[in-house]
């Protein structure tokens, strides 16, 4: 069958790479794709937000399965549009994707159904926000979250009341995030370990992916601003069988069941960002899509056919699949542009890719890249995801860092401690 992948990050390159290996995939397209996806798929110059253009393309080319990577087209309703036209697509509907698209909806949903999460209040005006902050009921630090999508920048941990008021003002008054900041969530700060818990749901039942640990901070030692993710390993060192069962019973199963009951049947990837606190797991956020970079080390470990798994979810028969994973750990180090996530240059020439790829067992997934003739250039903040999977984590990371050392572009930056366990934040 012909398969279309929507998106242009490392996640989409990993999806395209794995999907292209399936005997079911006769031809793979990626829209718009990047410098790496064109090695395993045909790039189509359509933006991920051009829903009508993507649906026209899928209809014209007889695409039999479309797989959506990023959250923005999902929250815009790409799945609804494709289904209206009788086109098969993997991902949640617009209503189901609201679990990621609106933090207010997600928090109130969890509250309604007693899904464990931090205590919170919603404010839709600055005076109301100031009142909540002045009450001191959540103590400090405190977390302020813009309601809507803000490209991972809408969550701010504030150490003092002054900082929290300033942040609330930026969102509610100065409209730093536009309509995404019309309402905010004010939330208690949770301490513990973060775990990404990701499942494929067919609307009723789920198939869990192997666990992963993301490293969100920009610099070594978990210093610097939060990013989309600077690297990940699978499995997460904090995942145990007991925790797995607890998260399935208290978070995942109730979320999928209650979304169905509320008329928001969730088909696609449900990703719970969790803080494992002293009192047990608490949901920091839900995402309605595969993680990035988590998908990269996860798919490196997947031995089953991804097309069969995704198709089973679309056809509402996810349990039919017996999913097999490699027992070996895997890792991914994100190579980023200097200055990411704040300000960075683009258009730098990347060298050493072939030398790095020569190391047996190394997979390099592209994110912010493009080719001009035979030259690979940077086009974004996160540029590459360098992955491997060996018998143990130390060997895996050594191989990845060997590969990273062979790659070069001006001002490139990557964390040197991916896979290490950090001190808990206090
Ligand atoms: P979110 O997009 O809601 O997952 O937030 C992004 C990041 O902010 C998370 O991965 C955490 O590192 C941090 N964060 C969010 N909510 C909280 C919270 N209530 N307590 C502590 N850290 C948080
Ligand atoms: N790596 C975090 C995310 O995909 O949201």
């Amino acid at each position: 069958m012909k398969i279309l992948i929507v998106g242009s990050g490392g996640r989409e390159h990993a999806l395209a790479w794995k999907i292209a290996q399936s005997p079911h995939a006769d031809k793979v397209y990626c829209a718009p794709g990047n410098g790496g996806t064109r090695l395993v798929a045909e790039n189509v110059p359509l933006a991920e937000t051009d829903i009508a253009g993507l649906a026209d393309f899928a209809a014209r080319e007889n695409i039999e399965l479309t797989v959506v990577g990023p959250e923005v087209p999902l929250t815009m309703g790409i799945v609804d549009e494709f289904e209206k036209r009788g086109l098969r697509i993997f991902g949640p509907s617009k209503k189901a994707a609201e679990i990621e698209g609106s933090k207010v909806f997600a928090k109130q949903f969890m509250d309604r159904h007693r899904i464990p999460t931090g205590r919170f209040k919603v404010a839709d005006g600055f005076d109301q926000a100031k009142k909540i902050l002045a009450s001191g009921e959540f103590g400090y630090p405190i977390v302020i979250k813009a309601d809507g999508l803000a490209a991972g920048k809408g969550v701010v941990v504030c150490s003092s009341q002054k900082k929290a008021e300033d942040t609330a003002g930026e969102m509610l008054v100065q409209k730093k995030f536009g309509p995404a900041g019309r309402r905010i969530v004010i939330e208690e700060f949770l301490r513990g370990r973060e775990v990404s818990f990701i499942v494929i749901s067919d609307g009723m039942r789920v198939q869990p992916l192997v666990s992963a640990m993301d490293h969100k901070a920009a610099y070594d030692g978990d210093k610097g601003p939060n990013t989309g993710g600077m690297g990940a390993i699978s499995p997460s060192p904090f995942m145990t069988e007991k925790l797995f069962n607890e998260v399935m019973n208290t978070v995942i199963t109730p979320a999928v069941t209650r979304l169905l009951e509320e008329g928001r049947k969730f088909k696609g990837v449900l990703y719970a960002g969790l803080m494992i606190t002293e009192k047990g797991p608490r949901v920091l956020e839900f995402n309605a899509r595969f993680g990035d970079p988590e998908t990269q080390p996860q798919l490196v470990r997947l031995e089953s056919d991804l097309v069969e798994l995704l198709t089973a979810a679309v056809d509402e028969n996810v349990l039919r699949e017996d999913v097999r994973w490699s027992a070996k750990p895997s890792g991914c180090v994100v190579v980023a542009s200097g200055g990411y996530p704040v300000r960075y240059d683009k258009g730098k020439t990347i060298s050493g890719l072939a030398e790095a790829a020569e190391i047996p067992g190394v997979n390099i997934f592209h994110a912010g890249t493009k080719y001009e003739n035979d030259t690979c250039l940077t086009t974004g903040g996160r540029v590459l995801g360098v992955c491997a999977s060996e018998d143990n984590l130390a060997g895996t990371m050594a191989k990845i860092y060997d590969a990273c050392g062979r790659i070069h572009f001006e001002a490139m930056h990557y964390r040197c401690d991916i896979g290490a366990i950090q001190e808990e934040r206090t």
Side-chain angles (χ1 to χ4, degrees), residues 30-160:
C30 194
N34 60 38
T37 57
R38 67 163 212 174
L39 306 172
V40 287
E42 182 177 323
N43 283 351
V44 182
L46 289 169
E48 66 186 42
T49 50
D50 181 2
I51 308 257
L54 290 164
D56 289 345
F57 174 82
R60 197 171 59 238
E61 292 295 328
N62 295 317
I63 303 288
E64 285 176 72
L65 176 66
T66 297
V67 181
V68 187
E71 61 277 16
V72 172
L74 292 169
T75 56
M76 286 172 71
I78 188 171
V79 170
D80 309 64
E81 179 61 25
F82 271 57
E83 286 182 346
K84 202 169 77 194
R85 299 201 200 184
L87 296 164
R88 205 156 178 231
I89 184 163
F90 174 82
S93 66
K94 181 174 179 171
K95 269 178 91 179
E98 224 182 328
I99 197 84
E100 172 164 7
S102 166
K103 300 239 187 242
V104 171
F105 169 73
K107 292 293 288 187
Q108 290 174 341
F109 171 80
M110 288 188 267
D111 200 37
R112 269 200 296 286
H113 301 299
R114 298 196 173 77
I115 294 174
T117 188
R119 291 180 301 124
F120 72 101
K121 284 215 163 119
V122 175
D124 55 15
F126 191 42
D127 286 339
Q128 196 188 359
K130 278 196 293 195
K131 234 183 249 162
I132 296 167
L133 294 171
S135 78
E137 66 173 296
F138 298 121
Y140 289 90
I142 198 167
V143 188
I144 309 268
K145 301 181 172 182
D147 179 32
L149 294 178
K153 299 191 180 83
V155 174
V156 186
V157 177
C158 304
S159 52
S160 66

Side-chain angles (χ1 to χ4, degrees), residues 150-292:
K153 299 191 180 83
V155 174
V156 186
V157 177
C158 304
S159 52
S160 66
Q161 186 176 336
K162 163 91 175 60
K163 172 99 196 295
E165 277 185 12
D166 290 350
T167 302
E170 281 170 16
M171 292 183 187
L172 292 165
V173 183
Q174 294 153 39
K175 308 272 182 236
K176 188 172 170 186
F177 299 116
R182 252 200 308 257
R183 294 186 293 179
I184 60 170
V185 170
I186 299 175
E187 187 175 311
E188 71 171 317
F189 180 79
L190 296 168
R191 290 180 170 78
R193 301 292 192 179
E194 280 190 63
V195 169
S196 309
F197 199 102
I198 304 172
V199 303
I200 292 185
S201 166
D202 69 2
M204 285 154 286
R205 290 148 307 181
V206 304
Q207 188 65 253
L209 306 188
V210 279
S211 67
M213 174 172 77
D214 187 16
H215 293 260
K216 284 212 167 77
Y219 308 123
D220 286 10
D222 273 352
K223 300 282 188 305
N226 257 359
T227 69
M230 291 299 289
I233 57 167
S234 173
S236 162
F238 305 116
M239 183 50 66
T240 59
E241 197 183 328
K242 178 169 174 282
L243 181 61
F244 175 89
N245 290 329
E246 190 175 356
V247 174
M248 285 299 288
N249 292 334
T250 63
V251 176
I252 301 293
T253 305
V256 169
T257 313
R258 300 303 183 185
L259 282 167
L260 182 64
E261 280 172 15
E262 291 196 0
R264 297 172 187 262
K265 185 195 275 182
F266 193 98
K267 287 169 72 169
V269 175
L270 184 64
Y271 166 144
L274 304 169
M275 187 70 87
I276 312 305
T277 72
E278 267 177 359
K279 293 184 188 146
R282 299 284 181 272
V283 179
L284 297 176
E285 63 165 347
F286 280 114
N287 294 321
R289 51 166 176 83
F290 284 103
D292 197 4

